[in-house]
Amino acid sequence: MGTYSRWFLSVLLLILGVCAVRYHTLLTAETAQADARYRSEARQLDLYLANTVLPLSVHTDGASMRQVLRTALPLNRNLAAIAWHGGGTRIDVLADAAPGEQVPAWFARLAGMKPIHHRLQVSLPGGNDGVLELQYTPELPLLQVWQAVRQQALLSAFNITLIFVLLGLLLASHRKLLARLAQAIELLRGGDFTVRMAPGATPEAQSLSRAFNGMVGDVGAMLDSLQTSQQQLGAQLTETIHMQQVLQKMSWQNYHDVLTGLPNRTALAARFEQELFLARERQRLMAVCLFDLDHFQAINDRYGAEAGDDLLKQVAGRLHEFTGKSHYAARLGGDEFVLLLCGQASLDSIEQQLQLLMHELSLPYQCDQQAVQLTASAGIAVYAGKDMNAESLLRHADHAVYQAKLTGRNQYHFFDSHLDEEVRTHHNQRTEVRRALVNGELRLHYQPKVNMRTGAVVGMEALLRWQHAQRGLLSPAQFLSLVEQTDLIIDIGEWALRQALWQLQRWSAAGQQWVVSVNIAARHFQQPDFVLRLKTILGEFPGVRASMLEIEILESSALHDVEHVRRIIRACQALGITFALDDFGTGYSSMSYLKRLPADIIKIDQSFVHNMLNDSDDLHLVRAVIGLARSFRLAVIAEGVESIAHGERLIELGCDLAQGHGVARPMPADAVLDWANSYIAPPQWRAAKYTEDQIQD
């Protein structure tokens, strides 16, 4: 069966199915309506005869009764016969057969309408009973149903015929088009590349002819091109040789680091398994040494990426020279390198070679025409015939590197299970912090910031707390260091931003237009999509102006890549957000970098404020920071104001803004409004005055 036949059959079956459902519904509805009317008219005639004819039967003779019964026949066209039994007589009256169209017997069976036979009984004088029998036939209702269904069937037949005619014309047109295409293809297969299909009358035929003609044209052009290429065989051979060289280079790059020329992670995996097998067979030791350069990112930021790449090449060169033919060195990526010390007799031998290599790596490097000191931390995992695989050994070496960095860097450390357990403990603690974030155990407490001179509350600093189920309320110092070098600190930072903005929205509704500052960790702040994510979070709180948010970053977190931090600050300030440098004065390059960082506020570190009343050095530092802020036209706020005397001295030095336990301790958000409504600044602060002479002492 062809495709077109299947189409016709499918359409026919679909139409028949639809028609079967439609006419079943139509027949059921028409039959029910006609039957109801048929039975209603019969009941009406029965009632009429019972009230009129039967009373007459008592006093009427047989001839008169027959005449009365005949007069009842026209009252219902469905009445076929009337019979009277009474007084020893029987009178039968039959209706005349109605001429005209007859309903087919199969339709009558399908409709299911039945004749109606009614008996009406009356008491006669003398104690006898008279019975009036009425026989109704459904021929007329059936005829009405038949005519209605037939009329709809004729319309459906016309529509179906029209559909099939149009479908046939369409398919015939397609068959003709396909026949033309098949003929043209046969000519093309025979080698006639000049064959073309004439455009047809329909858009489909025109599109097909254009596609076919374009294809034939392309084939012809390809043949011409092949003929031309035969004349360029020598050049192609040269190109092939060149491609082989490129493929060889690509194959080399698949197993080598492009920058340093050392084997890469893929090559290391293959060599690792081979060396493990040899060590197992020869019963020798093999050491996996993982090297991580110390503070490489700081050097990279200072001298540039190109100088950093040159340093990596120099490190790779020293590793390559050290390995010779006995060992194997590879670069994992970034500033991480691996060395396999193969065929070792003892741990002492491994340690001696490591000492030589660590000394070699610690020698000065040439960077930007000057000597640069660069060291490395190394972690060593030793294979001693145990059932260990390459992945486990690398993981153990990585744990050992971590321990080497903890002990002061420029160290090497051998892996042992006890320290590995400590590493896993740190991991478990980080997992617990993540669980606290997910379970809603983190809290924000708020410490007020005030203008000591006017007594006005100018804002709040959001401070992180952990409501631990067993240990109670924990400060950030007790858990934040566990995650500040992981991406979890980013999730915590975004949670704190959302929580602070939600609280700002509530305070704004209460009439308080405070600025709330949120501390952002360096890892979070330096993410490439930090500004985009911040815009998204601000968009979740349309009732909060961006100018009501202040971001605090540690001064030291800005020193690794000042230009990058500067761009982020500028982008955030364009949104209306203000920036504060926290713990100012504790960084190693505060003065030189301040002019390059467009901060709005400087926060004097509390370590200086605490002792400034008793330590002249701290007092001079506070005075210098205030003077520096005034020179750069920046606002300045002092942390750690513990007493009225601290506040008085700060006002005299020119710093009016402060926070600390002398103002208020950090408190839950629910307590802030009550505290603010009842806060009154000490009168000593209001009376204190700034004197220029004190700044110049």
Side-chain angles (χ1 to χ4, degrees):
M1 182 180 291
T3 302
Y4 294 146
S5 300
R6 289 197 295 270
W7 285 4
F8 265 95
L9 181 59
S10 300
V11 173
L12 177 61
L13 292 176
L14 178 62
I15 291 176
L16 290 177
V18 172
C19 288
V21 174
R22 181 177 184 272
Y23 283 101
H24 177 268
T25 305
L26 177 63
L27 178 61
T28 301
E30 291 289 340
T31 301
Q33 184 178 359
D35 188 67
R37 187 167 57 249
Y38 161 60
R39 293 184 180 278
S40 175
E41 291 175 354
R43 285 194 299 271
Q44 291 177 4
L45 182 60
D46 291 348
L47 183 63
Y48 170 74
L49 292 176
N51 293 329
T52 57
V53 176
L54 292 180
L56 293 176
S57 64
V58 179
H59 308 288
T60 304
D61 56 16
S64 300
M65 189 64 179
R66 183 181 297 276
Q67 184 63 32
V68 169
L69 294 178
R70 283 189 176 278
T71 60
L73 289 175
L75 297 178
N76 190 325
R77 296 173 62 188
N78 299 321
L79 186 61
I82 305 179
W84 166 256
H85 305 273
T89 63
R90 177 184 176 88
I91 302 173
D92 293 307
V93 178
L94 301 176
D96 297 333
E101 183 179 4
Q102 297 298 316
V103 177
W106 62 267
F107 185 80
R109 289 193 301 273
L110 189 64
M113 295 180 64
K114 305 295 183 182
I116 301 174
H117 182 260
H118 289 166
R119 291 171 55 90
L120 303 177
Q121 189 171 353
V122 64
S123 298
L124 299 176
N128 296 323
D129 292 332
V131 177
L132 184 65
E133 295 184 3
L134 296 95
Q135 187 73 30
Y136 299 91
T137 60
E139 293 180 359
L140 185 59
L142 277 173
L143 181 61
Q144 293 171 349
V145 174
W146 164 252
Q147 290 174 344
V149 173
R150 184 179 61 185
Q151 182 180 10
Q152 291 296 320
L154 290 174
L155 290 175
S156 297
F158 175 76
N159 291 336
I160 293 171
T161 303
L162 182 60
I163 289 171
F164 274 95
V165 168
L166 293 176
L167 182 59
L169 292 174
L170 178 62
L171 295 179
S173 173
H174 281 200
R175 292 187 65 175
K176 182 178 179 182
L177 179 61
L178 292 176
R180 289 170 52 205
L181 177 61
Q183 182 182 7
I185 290 174
E186 286 300 322
L187 293 173
L188 181 63
R189 292 178 61 186
D192 184 4
F193 295 102
T194 62
V195 64
R196 295 291 186 272
M197 284 186 65
T202 64
E204 293 82 2
Q206 294 172 1
S207 176
L208 182 60
S209 64
R210 283 195 301 270
F212 179 81
N213 295 339
M215 179 195 69
V216 174
D218 292 341
V219 171
M222 289 174 62
L223 287 174
D224 294 339
S225 176
L226 288 174
Q227 292 172 358
T228 303
S229 66
Q230 291 177 354
Q231 303 171 1
Q232 302 173 349
L233 182 58
Q236 289 181 353
L237 289 174
T238 303
E239 183 67 21
T240 301
I241 295 173
H242 175 69
M243 289 297 297
Q244 289 176 346
Q245 294 173 347
V246 171
L247 289 174
Q248 290 175 355
K249 182 178 180 181
M250 291 176 61
S251 177
W252 182 87
Q253 290 177 350
N254 286 335
Y255 293 96
H256 290 80
D257 177 57
V258 177
L259 177 64
T260 63
L262 289 177
N264 60 12
R265 188 183 293 269
T266 303
L268 173 67
R271 182 62 177 267
F272 212 145
E273 294 298 334
Q274 179 183 352
E275 294 297 340
L276 278 176
F277 175 78
L278 292 176
R280 188 180 303 114
E281 290 294 317
R282 298 173 182 176
Q283 296 184 351
R284 303 286 284 181
L285 300 180
M286 185 186 73
V288 182
C289 309
L290 183 62
F291 294 89
D292 189 293
L293 302 182
D294 299 329
H295 303 300
F296 175 75
Q297 187 59 43
I299 295 177
N300 204 31
D301 293 339
R302 181 176 180 182
Y303 295 102
E306 186 176 350
D309 290 345
D310 187 58
L311 278 176
L312 291 175
K313 292 178 184 178
Q314 295 180 52
V315 172
R318 296 185 188 185
L319 282 172
H320 181 69
E321 291 178 6
F322 181 83
T323 56
K325 297 181 180 180
S326 304
H327 310 304
Y328 191 79
R331 183 188 179 205
L332 294 183
D335 59 345
E336 285 189 331
F337 297 86
V338 170
L339 174 66
L340 301 182
L341 292 176
C342 309
Q344 300 300 301
S346 64
L347 290 177
D348 291 338
S349 173
I350 295 173
E351 191 164 7
Q352 288 173 7
Q353 294 189 65
L354 271 174
Q355 290 173 352
L356 292 175
L357 180 56
M358 292 293 288
H359 173 73
E360 184 70 22
L361 292 178
S362 64
L363 295 177
Y365 295 85
Q366 289 297 317
C367 179
D368 201 13
Q369 297 182 350
Q370 56 181 314
V372 173
Q373 197 71 32
L374 182 65
T375 61
S377 297
I380 305 96
V382 179
Y383 174 76
K386 297 180 181 179
D387 188 14
M388 298 286 290
N389 55 29
E391 182 180 354
S392 298
L393 287 169
L394 271 176
R395 185 174 66 252
H396 291 170
D398 184 58
H399 291 176
V401 168
Y402 177 74
Q403 292 299 324
K405 287 186 176 292
L406 288 180
T407 56
R409 304 178 189 272
N410 193 20
Q411 305 281 338
Y412 62 86
H413 195 90
F414 282 86
F415 171 82
D416 64 58
S417 58
H418 175 70
L419 291 177
D420 184 50
E421 182 63 31
E422 290 185 5
V423 171
R424 282 199 292 267
T425 300
H426 282 292
H427 174 74
N428 294 338
Q429 290 173 336
R430 288 193 295 269
T431 302
E432 188 180 4
V433 177
R434 178 175 293 280
R435 190 179 300 115
L437 174 62
V438 173
N439 295 341
E441 298 175 10
L442 298 186
R443 304 283 187 271
L444 284 186
H445 283 200
Y446 296 88
Q447 186 171 39
K449 301 177 183 179
V450 300
N451 186 313
M452 297 181 290
R453 188 184 301 275
T454 64
V457 179
V458 296
M460 299 285 163
E461 180 179 2
L463 299 172
L464 188 64
R465 299 290 187 267
W466 179 5
Q467 189 64 55
H468 196 283
Q470 287 79 35
R471 300 165 61 191
L473 192 66
L474 304 181
S475 67
Q478 295 173 276
F479 65 90
L480 209 56
S481 60
L482 298 170
V483 299
E484 62 184 355
Q485 299 302 324
T486 70
D487 287 343
L488 179 55
I489 197 68
I490 300 173
D491 298 334
I492 293 175
E494 292 192 352
W495 173 86
L497 284 169
R498 286 188 171 91
Q499 191 71 15
L501 290 171
W502 177 81
Q503 189 59 55
L504 267 174
Q505 199 165 251
R506 295 188 63 190
W507 285 336
S508 296
Q512 298 293 349
Q513 301 299 315
W514 291 323
V515 174
V516 172
S517 60
V518 179
N519 291 276
I520 299 298
R523 186 182 184 91
H524 184 191
F525 185 70
Q526 294 174 1
Q527 291 297 304
D529 61 345
F530 176 79
V531 178
L532 180 62
R533 294 287 302 160
L534 184 58
K535 286 182 181 179
T536 302
I537 294 173
L538 285 170
E540 297 172 10
F541 302 91
V544 178
R545 300 190 310 275
S547 58
M548 299 171 69
L549 176 64
E550 177 182 297
I551 291 180
E552 293 188 13
I553 60 172
L554 289 176
E555 174 199 2
S556 56
S557 68
L559 301 182
H560 296 298
D561 190 346
V562 176
E563 289 306 317
H564 175 66
V565 172
R566 176 186 177 88
R567 286 192 297 270
I568 295 178
I569 293 177
R570 285 297 190 197
C572 294
Q573 287 174 332
L575 301 176
I577 299 169
T578 56
F579 265 85
L581 285 181
D582 198 7
D583 295 345
F584 187 80
T586 60
Y588 63 86
S589 299
S590 302
M591 306 308 172
S592 62
Y593 281 102
L594 183 59
K595 63 180 181 180
R596 298 169 60 188
L597 293 175
D600 303 289
I601 301 169
I602 291 176
K603 300 191 73 174
I604 306 175
D605 184 62
Q606 59 183 346
S607 62
F608 303 143
V609 177
H610 280 165
N611 299 322
M612 72 176 191
L613 298 179
N614 304 316
D615 190 319
S616 60
D617 291 337
D618 284 345
L619 178 62
H620 288 310
L621 280 172
V622 172
R623 178 181 294 148
V625 172
I626 295 172
L628 188 64
R630 179 172 290 106
S631 299
F632 283 95
R633 294 186 174 87
L634 302 177
V636 62
I637 182 171
E639 295 182 302
V641 175
E642 305 294 335
S643 65
I644 295 176
H646 280 103
E648 285 184 287
R649 192 67 175 120
L650 286 167
I651 294 173
E652 293 170 355
L653 294 173
C655 176
D656 295 340
L657 304 180
Q659 65 181 101
H661 293 175
V663 177
R665 292 179 176 272
M667 63 190 78
D670 294 341
V672 170
L673 288 177
D674 290 340
W675 176 89
N677 292 333
S678 62
Y679 175 71
I680 300 175
Q684 295 93 323
W685 290 356
R686 294 178 179 271
K689 295 181 179 180
Y690 161 67
T691 59
E692 185 67 26
D693 292 341
Q694 289 173 324
I695 295 295
Q696 297 173 353
D697 283 346

